[in-house]
Amino acid sequence: MNTVPPDADGGPGTAGPRREPPAGDSVLEVRDLVKHFPITQGIVLRRRVGEVRAVDGLSLDLRRGRTLGIVGESGCGKSTLAKLLLGLEKPTEGTIRVRGQDITALRGKELLEARRNIQMVFQDPYTSLNPRMTVGDLVGEPFQIHTGVLPRNRRRARVQELLELVGLNPDHINRYPHQFSGGQRQRIGIARALALEPEVLLCDEPVSALDVSIQAQVINLLEQLQDEMGLTYLFIAHDLSVVHHIADQLGVMYLGKIVEYGEAAEIYDAPTHPYTQALLSAVPVPDPRLRGLRDEIVLEGDVPSPANPPSGCRFRTRCWKAQDLCAEVQPPLETRPGSPHASACHFAEERDVVHGTP
């Protein structure tokens, strides 16, 4: 059995044989998803005075064995989307289908069973692990909730296999989270998420709290696990360089809506929505010879409140292309002539972006 020194973040470990997924098989389908949070006043009567439109008419498809990246500024609805997909929040409208089953209509044991197929890797490895539980208890907790998955006498051995799978020493099963580094703790979180052998892993900014060198190790681990186990990822982040490294498809969110959607390489090389162009222009260029070749776009103003979004296009208050039409008509997310992917902009056009390769 391969082991990793106790003071190392460890490598990806040894995984089992890869499960080849059926080509093009859809695992996750989201249609017209809406989540509005009520704004109330008063202590007793709780009178409703408005609503926060956290997610507002979002649709996406996730194919087996692929990675869909979701990017956008803080407050755009990314984490609310993740909670909706997990069933931690109930949608106001819309459907979420996992392997063809609409989980928004499930309750009780049926919902619990459906959650086996979609698990989450949280952002902060320091707060997502209970400090009073051992690593063995943390990784083995899913087996206590889903009691029929694995016999009790097999659970300890399976936990050790999962620790080795993510590059940790299986002999450290009785240690506590504070005895591990940040990168190792995130590996523990990944092992816990893999315990029930889900088809979809929701990764909510899983490397943003880690040092840059450790970020690369965790991303490489996720890629290796995907190759060997046929996993499907929905990867939420605000760092476009990280998403570009791991994602096959990309969805750009702004104020609860997807404003650009398509193959990650196409969007990264030729973004058509002004918001995406602005985000990519802010990505640091490591090659000093290329820094002067890029025209950085500085957005003016703040992100509007999701409780009172602008009429028409929600990005128009910060967009340098905005015209009267943008205030009157909300642009649909569609592929326009000459564009390789979908964009929600009346005046979408490709823009070359310098990424730092000569």
Side-chain angles (χ1 to χ4, degrees):
M1 180 177 290
N2 296 329
T3 60
V4 178
D7 59 344
D9 277 297
T14 304
R18 178 173 183 174
R19 299 177 295 178
E20 291 294 338
D25 189 12
S26 180
V27 177
L28 179 66
E29 298 177 5
V30 178
R31 292 291 179 271
D32 303 319
L33 191 63
V34 174
K35 180 59 180 179
H36 293 172
F37 294 97
I39 302 174
T40 59
Q41 285 183 349
I43 298 175
V44 179
L45 296 179
R46 306 290 292 175
R47 182 168 59 92
R48 182 166 179 160
V49 296
E51 59 186 11
V52 174
R53 302 177 183 182
V55 176
D56 208 7
L58 183 147
S59 298
L60 55 85
D61 287 294
L62 187 52
R63 301 291 174 178
R64 185 168 300 174
R66 289 170 65 83
T67 300
L68 170 62
I70 300 292
V71 300
E73 293 173 285
S74 297
C76 72
K78 304 188 300 296
S79 294
T80 300
L81 171 62
K83 292 177 182 178
L84 290 168
L85 298 180
L86 284 170
L88 298 178
E89 294 281 358
K90 295 297 180 184
T92 307
E93 297 177 16
T95 59
I96 302 170
R97 295 185 180 275
V98 180
R99 298 173 62 186
Q101 183 181 35
D102 185 4
I103 65 172
T104 59
L106 301 181
R107 298 292 185 274
K109 292 184 178 180
E110 291 182 338
L111 178 59
L112 183 66
E113 181 65 22
R115 281 177 173 168
R116 286 184 53 187
N117 293 315
I118 182 166
Q119 295 289 308
M120 190 165 185
V121 179
F122 295 92
Q123 176 178 1
D124 189 353
Y126 293 91
T127 59
S128 62
L129 302 178
N130 189 331
R132 298 184 179 182
M133 295 176 67
T134 66
V135 170
D137 291 336
L138 287 165
V139 178
E141 188 174 21
F143 302 132
Q144 298 178 13
I145 298 172
H146 299 267
T147 54
V149 173
L150 198 66
R152 187 178 296 274
N153 60 1
R154 276 278 299 130
R155 292 177 185 174
R156 181 180 176 85
R158 179 56 182 158
V159 168
Q160 290 183 307
E161 291 173 2
L162 289 166
L163 291 177
E164 185 176 22
L165 181 66
V166 298
L168 295 175
N169 191 333
D171 295 332
H172 295 167
I173 190 172
N174 293 322
R175 293 191 175 189
Y176 289 86
H178 74 270
Q179 296 176 283
F180 295 87
S181 68
Q184 289 174 324
R185 293 186 198 193
Q186 195 61 296
R187 291 172 185 269
I188 295 169
I190 295 171
R192 179 177 59 182
L194 293 175
L196 299 176
E197 299 184 357
E199 293 198 45
V200 179
L201 243 60
L202 298 183
C203 303
D204 188 5
E205 306 216 27
V207 298
S208 62
L210 305 176
D211 293 337
V212 175
S213 60
I214 306 303
Q215 287 183 11
Q217 294 179 22
V218 173
I219 292 296
N220 290 337
L221 169 65
L222 290 171
E223 289 184 324
Q224 180 172 333
L225 291 173
Q226 184 175 51
D227 290 340
E228 296 176 345
M229 303 176 67
L231 295 171
T232 305
Y233 296 144
L234 191 144
F235 196 95
I236 296 172
H238 63 272
D239 189 337
L240 278 163
S241 58
V242 171
V243 174
H244 178 248
H245 183 77
I246 193 172
D248 302 301
Q249 292 179 295
L250 183 62
V252 181
M253 281 191 73
Y254 186 81
L255 275 184
K257 287 184 173 291
I258 296 287
V259 297
E260 191 157 4
Y261 187 86
E263 293 296 314
E266 291 178 354
I267 294 178
Y268 198 77
D269 291 336
T272 60
H273 195 281
Y275 179 59
T276 310
Q277 294 168 359
L279 291 180
L280 285 172
S281 76
V283 175
V285 177
D287 190 339
R289 296 171 296 174
L290 300 177
R291 288 173 187 168
L293 302 179
R294 182 173 65 182
D295 183 18
E296 185 174 349
I297 302 171
V298 180
L299 296 178
E300 297 182 358
D302 297 325
V303 179
S305 169
N308 186 28
S311 61
C313 176
R314 297 190 173 185
F315 184 63
R316 67 176 176 81
T317 57
R318 307 172 73 194
C319 182
W320 63 93
K321 292 184 178 181
Q323 299 183 23
D324 292 342
L325 175 65
C326 302
E328 299 168 358
V329 180
Q330 184 177 114
L333 181 64
E334 61 183 12
T335 303
R336 290 166 173 77
S339 176
H341 54 265
S343 181
C345 178
H346 294 300
F347 308 104
E349 60 181 353
E350 292 185 12
R351 180 186 178 98
D352 294 330
V353 179
V354 177
H355 299 297
T357 53

